[in-house]
Amino acid sequence: MAIFKGAAVAIVTPFKENREINFPKLKELLDFQIANHTDAIVICGTTGESSTLTHEEHLEAIKFTIDHVAGRVPVIAGTGSNCTETAIYLSTEAEKYGADALLIVTPYYNKATQKGLIAHYTAIANSVKLPIIMYNVPSRTGCNIQPQTAVELARNVENIVGIKEASGNISQVAKLMELADGCIELYSGNDDQVVPLLSLGGLGVISVLSNVAPKETHDMVAKFLEGDIAGSREIQLRAIPLVDQLFCEVNPIPVKAALNLMGMEAGPLRMPLTEMEPEHRENLKKAMIDFGIEVK
């Protein structure tokens, strides 16, 4: 059974002006997502600024989300680290809190060989019983999970079940799915490649776009899985200008600006991220309005 099918939101972490986590706003954002048919919540991923959260904040955000969502949709905890022991610590704590699954990014900065990736993921998986989705985003980490490596892990480690593919390399994803022969659950990690990855056997997307357009992102996947390829493609193509603006600066700078434009009060960013450039903000605002999102 898949952890989820459809669109999971890689949810932002809202901050107060003093940069503390704004838990009342996080509650509102979670309820907004569920009311608009988001299929799963990913908490403390890249979009959630996990790299600037302390371990205590990271775990508090995970626990708060699990408790508030209360089983309405699956909660997937981002517990990856470039330190294997840290990833094990975060993962075992998230399991205690009742997470439904884990999203584990490849080691960043120190990186790893393919042999190192196998050792890293196997050690984390052996520390928990939860299903694990590997997260491949070499543009951020400098580390690429080769298709053969992903398939070896999925075949040999019982609870490594899926991959969030954000390499942007469709040929690599096609090779992965050919080698996997059904042993791995594929999720798009790029909002501009949802339909292409679904066409290769993907089950959905872990999405930044879902923060501001949860229903449309859900519908894009749902229509494809129901056989309405044309309807799915229409949403994908209509969303491209907005997706372009959501990634015109490093994520999550634009998506937090977008939520603030919607009046959702996601708050500021933590350094080293800084506020969006004014001209980019205007372009983002226009793309939101053109897509049908109400801005304040």
Side-chain angles (χ1 to χ4, degrees):
M1 291 292 291
I3 297 165
F4 75 95
K5 291 183 179 181
V9 61
I11 201 162
V12 303
T13 301
F15 293 131
K16 301 175 184 175
E17 286 307 311
N18 65 2
R19 270 56 174 190
E20 292 178 359
I21 297 177
N22 189 336
F23 285 104
K25 284 297 170 189
L26 179 55
K27 178 180 176 180
E28 290 179 18
L29 291 174
L30 291 167
D31 288 338
F32 168 72
Q33 289 294 321
I34 293 169
N36 283 279
H37 308 295
T38 283
D39 298 287
I41 306 289
V42 174
I43 184 70
C44 293
T46 305
T47 311
E49 297 178 73
S50 57
S51 58
T52 59
L53 300 177
T54 66
H55 291 169
E56 292 76 17
E57 289 173 323
H58 194 134
L59 292 173
E60 190 177 7
I62 289 170
K63 186 175 190 307
F64 179 90
T65 299
I66 292 165
D67 290 347
H68 183 67
V69 171
R72 288 178 285 172
V73 297
V75 174
I76 301 163
T79 54
S81 172
N82 64 337
C83 169
T84 306
E85 291 304 318
T86 299
I88 288 172
Y89 166 65
L90 295 172
S91 298
T92 54
E93 291 299 301
E95 183 172 50
K96 291 175 191 173
Y97 299 153
D100 294 289
L102 304 173
L103 180 67
I104 308 288
V105 70
T106 56
Y108 38 86
Y109 185 69
N110 51 5
K111 306 192 286 187
T113 62
Q114 297 303 301
K115 180 181 176 182
L117 287 173
I118 290 168
H120 177 76
Y121 278 106
T122 301
I124 298 165
N126 287 342
S127 74
V128 293
K129 292 185 171 62
L130 292 176
I132 287 172
I133 300 172
M134 300 174 286
Y135 180 15
N136 192 37
V137 58
S139 65
R140 278 191 179 264
T141 64
C143 184
N144 183 29
I145 308 177
Q146 295 292 339
Q148 296 86 347
T149 302
V151 170
E152 181 174 340
L153 283 162
R155 284 208 174 117
N156 296 333
V157 186
E158 185 178 7
N159 56 330
I160 294 180
V161 301
I163 189 165
K164 175 185 176 182
E165 242 299 338
S167 68
N169 186 338
I170 295 294
S171 297
Q172 176 172 304
V173 178
K175 184 64 177 176
L176 167 67
M177 296 305 280
E178 181 258 323
L179 292 174
D181 194 26
C183 79
I184 198 162
E185 296 167 6
L186 172 67
Y187 297 100
S188 176
N190 293 326
D191 285 312
D192 61 349
Q193 294 183 342
V194 180
V195 170
L197 264 66
L198 290 172
S199 75
L200 291 170
L203 299 180
V205 60
I206 297 176
S207 171
V208 174
L209 175 65
S210 282
N211 279 279
V212 298
K215 185 176 185 303
E216 292 85 350
T217 313
H218 162 86
D219 287 351
M220 187 196 312
V221 181
K223 284 178 182 292
F224 191 100
L225 296 179
E226 291 163 4
D228 182 5
I229 310 302
S232 175
R233 183 174 62 240
E234 187 276 327
I235 299 171
Q236 174 77 90
L237 296 177
R238 188 164 58 86
I240 292 296
L242 176 55
V243 172
D244 287 346
Q245 295 308 313
L246 287 172
F247 290 91
C248 72
E249 293 186 27
V250 68
N251 178 51
I253 292 172
V255 74
K256 266 202 160 173
L259 286 164
N260 290 332
L261 284 167
M262 293 168 68
M264 303 289 276
E265 297 179 38
L269 301 137
R270 282 189 177 177
M271 288 179 68
L273 299 185
T274 52
E275 297 304 317
M276 197 172 192
E277 295 296 330
E279 63 269 28
H280 292 163
R281 185 181 174 93
E282 286 306 308
N283 293 338
L284 172 63
K285 184 176 180 180
K286 181 181 184 303
M288 293 169 68
I289 292 168
D290 290 346
F291 192 71
I293 297 171
E294 184 178 346
V295 298
K296 305 292 184 185

